[in-house]
Amino acid sequence: MSAANNATLVVEDLYTAYDKADVLEGVSLAAEAGRITCLLGSNGSGKTTLIRSILGLTRPNRGRIAFADAEITGLPPHKIVARGIACIPEGRKVFPKLTVEENLRLGAYQEASGQVVAERIEEAYEAFPQLRERRDQLAGTMSGGEQAMVSIGRGLMSAPKLLLIDEPSLGLAPLLVKQNFDIIRRINERGITVFLVEQNVRQTLEVAHYGYVLSKGRVVAGGRADELAATQEVHEAYFG
Amino acid sequence: MDVGLFGQYVMNGLMLGMMYALVAVGFTLFFGVLDVINFAHGDSLMVGAFTGLATYLGLRELGVVWPAVQVPVVLAAATAAMAVAGALIARYLVLPLKSAPALNTLLITLMLGTVLRESIRLFYPAGANPKPFPALLPAGAVELGNFSLRADNMLMLSAGLVVIVAVHLVINRTKLGLAIRAVAQDEETARTMGIDFTRIVLVTFAIGSALAAFAGIMNGLYYNEINFGIGLLLGVIGFSSAIIGGLGNIYGAIIGGFLFAALQTIGAVALPFASAYKDVFAFAVVILIMAIRPTGLLSEKVSERV
């Protein structure tokens, strides 16, 4: 990891217990600034717990998490968001009883300037013109694909340095899955560091630069995405 | 029934409904952000009324005798004191129990309510006796046949309406309100948006408790008397109103408050022994409504809030 790079996420020897089935037992990994790093693993491997730990939703028992050369272990979520980390959560998690525009607005909750928020909402509408048409619709009444757009747009509203993306393809139709990966690539091309958690091995490794494989709360493989695709651990993690 | 008497009943119903609505909105706000019932809420109303009374007496000692100064200062002192008290209750009693069963929160706020009630009874000078509450509002009235439309009642109703509209605007048109609604719908996702959850809970408890204090002052001005026990029944009625409306729904709480007052009024008018049975009648109807619509009138789903 280059110390000068300012949007690198480093996780060191992390132990977290969220629930019995999804624990971390000494996870160390890094998401390098400006790159897409993916984390592969089956259900119960600890992926969700790792995301929760990074976001400050679950406090680790041991180990440290650092972002942009500063420790963030144990900080409450709003302070972690303030460092420039945003999340596109698993299952979209749009606020169902809020309008599309209110959902977007919440993504920029810590942005004090109303003008900046308005500009970013405009950017989201340019990226997803359907959302502009439906700006006053309650997000809960939209289709899964549209909710994914709201969730992605919302995740970008804070202009994050690091975006955590948790299982974006879960529950989406194959065509939308492909679109989703294209969007992730484009987000990264804007200079945003991406940490992508996925179960969809093939397409994930195509889009990612680096990858790790998590199994039973431990990192069992890691390296460049193209090399990782060929390793035994990836297959074992899923089919073993 | 003659028109004058009918007018009095309607006015009385509206006054009560406004107070109940203000109390019920607090219950529903607390439930929205934290899924808890604050059973000390009625007693916050009572302490708010006593704070207002003490402020009035203090002002009088200082020689401030002009209602134009007294009313705003009394209101400000009562609402500010209860806002701070509400935030403290949230910070030190309710939030620490967040991961405990909801019953524990219910119990601890129930006990707090008793402590508040008994403290006023024991420590407020002659607190066991009813206290006369000063008539601070203009006493004029417009005579409409044999119904007199009193200026103080109209002022209180208007002020209550302004407060309810203000709550509506804060919840729906401000960033704070957006954060409150987001926390109510999905606390964890709201936190990952960068919302300081603890701050939102404290502010919500402050707002709700300030509304209770406002209702407490209204209560004092309307009946010209307060006592240490007024929060008990008002708390239960406010809670019932919030439940009838669909707990978590602000507009449901407002409607529930006025509905409860309407039931009491109908009970007082229609039942043979006049007002003695009005509460029995109103609560009986509430029980019936809950049996038919267990989640309240405006709630489509149990999970729906604010």
Side-chain angles (χ1 to χ4, degrees):
Chain A
M1 285 314 103
S2 63
N5 235 328
N6 212 24
T8 295
L9 173 79
V10 180
V11 174
E12 275 177 18
D13 197 30
L14 200 68
Y15 285 76
T16 313
Y18 170 48
D19 58 41
K20 279 178 195 157
D22 212 80
V23 297
L24 302 180
E25 296 185 335
V27 167
S28 296
L29 52 78
E32 200 181 324
R35 303 293 178 144
I36 301 176
T37 304
C38 71
L39 181 69
L40 300 166
S42 55
N43 280 333
S45 61
K47 291 178 307 199
T48 305
T49 304
L50 180 59
I51 292 279
R52 291 181 62 87
S53 306
I54 297 168
L55 284 169
L57 289 171
T58 302
R59 187 183 275 269
N61 299 329
R62 229 172 89 187
R64 63 187 285 274
I65 305 167
F67 176 65
D69 304 323
E71 182 152 348
I72 59 169
T73 326
L75 290 181
H78 67 274
K79 292 203 171 142
I80 289 173
V81 170
R83 303 288 176 98
I85 298 179
C87 174
I88 299 174
E90 182 185 344
R92 268 71 73 186
K93 295 282 171 64
V94 297
F95 295 98
K97 293 276 167 189
L98 299 184
T99 66
V100 168
E101 190 150 318
E102 285 172 332
N103 266 279
L104 293 176
R105 214 168 268 286
L106 278 167
Y109 182 76
Q110 293 190 348
E111 176 55 60
S113 157
Q115 195 191 338
V116 171
V117 175
E119 283 167 16
R120 293 201 189 134
I121 288 178
E122 192 54 33
E123 281 173 32
Y125 287 156
E126 271 160 32
F128 303 109
Q130 279 153 281
L131 295 188
R132 189 197 301 275
E133 294 162 26
R134 295 170 175 238
R135 60 204 298 170
D136 295 324
Q137 187 175 334
L138 295 184
T141 64
M142 305 175 93
S143 73
E146 289 163 340
Q147 290 189 11
M149 291 178 202
V150 175
S151 189
I152 295 166
R154 189 181 64 181
L156 294 168
M157 282 293 294
S158 61
K161 294 183 205 156
L162 167 67
L163 190 59
L164 309 174
I165 310 180
D166 194 0
E167 305 257 9
S169 59
L170 199 72
L172 285 186
L175 183 68
L176 289 174
V177 171
K178 190 179 174 308
Q179 277 178 11
N180 242 334
F181 280 107
D182 290 341
I183 290 167
I184 291 166
R185 186 178 278 130
R186 286 211 304 274
I187 288 171
N188 176 244
E189 281 165 4
R190 290 163 55 178
I192 298 173
T193 309
V194 172
F195 187 64
L196 171 63
V197 173
E198 256 297 354
Q199 292 202 51
N200 188 326
V201 181
R202 197 178 53 81
Q203 296 191 74
T204 303
L205 289 175
E206 270 173 27
V207 76
H209 302 102
Y210 299 100
Y212 294 91
V213 178
L214 199 62
S215 176
K216 298 191 179 103
R218 295 167 204 273
V219 173
V220 294
R224 281 177 44 175
D226 48 359
E227 292 171 5
L228 203 60
T231 61
Q232 189 65 24
E233 283 83 0
V234 171
H235 297 278
E236 275 175 7
Y238 286 94
F239 311 113
Chain B
M1 190 194 325
D2 82 328
V3 182
L5 195 56
F6 181 75
Q8 298 298 4
Y9 275 121
V10 169
M11 183 49 92
N12 187 50
L14 287 175
M15 291 297 303
L16 293 177
M18 190 62 84
M19 286 178 223
Y20 301 161
L22 289 167
V23 179
V25 166
F27 274 108
T28 228
L29 278 175
F30 304 156
F31 184 79
V33 293
L34 215 50
D35 287 6
V36 296
I37 303 300
N38 170 16
F39 266 117
H41 193 48
D43 297 293
S44 297
L45 176 154
M46 181 273 297
V47 176
F50 271 87
T51 307
L53 179 60
T55 307
Y56 164 78
L57 295 173
L59 284 175
R60 207 177 57 179
E61 286 298 306
L62 294 171
V64 180
V65 291
W66 316 281
V69 180
Q70 288 169 328
V71 174
V73 173
V74 162
L75 264 180
T79 50
M82 285 309 102
V84 171
L88 290 175
I89 290 169
R91 176 69 185 79
Y92 293 105
L93 292 180
V94 180
L95 278 176
L97 292 181
K98 189 164 178 288
S99 52
L103 267 177
N104 295 16
T105 308
L106 201 145
L107 185 64
I108 204 170
T109 55
L110 206 59
M111 293 189 290
L112 172 70
T114 309
V115 168
L116 291 177
R117 215 154 45 236
E118 291 300 300
S119 298
I120 291 289
R121 189 170 75 89
L122 296 170
F123 302 125
Y124 193 89
N129 300 324
K131 298 281 157 199
F133 203 89
L136 297 173
L137 298 175
V142 183
E143 300 296 330
L144 303 166
N146 51 0
F147 168 57
S148 59
L149 188 64
R150 294 172 49 153
D152 56 352
N153 289 358
M154 288 313 291
L155 271 172
M156 280 191 259
L157 275 185
S158 314
L161 197 62
V162 166
V163 167
I164 282 180
V165 170
V167 170
H168 162 81
L169 291 176
V170 166
I171 296 294
N172 287 300
R173 299 283 158 82
T174 67
K175 195 168 174 179
L176 170 67
L178 184 59
I180 290 174
R181 284 182 290 150
V183 167
Q185 286 179 35
D186 184 343
E187 178 202 319
E188 285 201 338
T189 307
R191 295 172 74 180
T192 63
M193 296 293 112
I195 292 171
D196 181 348
F197 172 71
T198 304
R199 187 179 152 265
I200 293 299
V201 169
L202 298 195
V203 171
T204 306
F205 270 69
I207 293 174
S209 303
L211 293 177
F214 187 90
I217 299 293
M218 259 183 93
N219 191 273
L221 289 172
Y222 188 58
Y223 291 112
N224 300 121
E225 184 185 287
I226 54 174
N227 68 68
F228 70 92
I230 53 172
L232 215 49
L233 187 60
L234 278 167
V236 175
I237 291 176
F239 181 38
S240 309
S241 305
I243 294 272
I244 318 173
L247 202 54
N249 186 318
I250 288 176
Y251 307 104
I254 295 166
I255 291 169
F258 282 98
L259 186 65
F260 194 94
L263 289 172
Q264 279 182 321
T265 309
I266 291 167
V269 175
L271 293 181
F273 308 103
S275 58
Y277 288 93
K278 67 181 200 305
D279 289 344
V280 175
F281 173 74
F283 279 116
V285 175
V286 169
I287 290 169
L288 205 63
I289 292 175
M290 284 173 66
I292 297 165
R293 293 201 57 131
T295 56
L297 295 175
L298 283 195
S299 179
E300 294 130 43
K301 281 179 274 173
V302 184
S303 62
E304 183 179 295
R305 296 191 218 111
V306 179

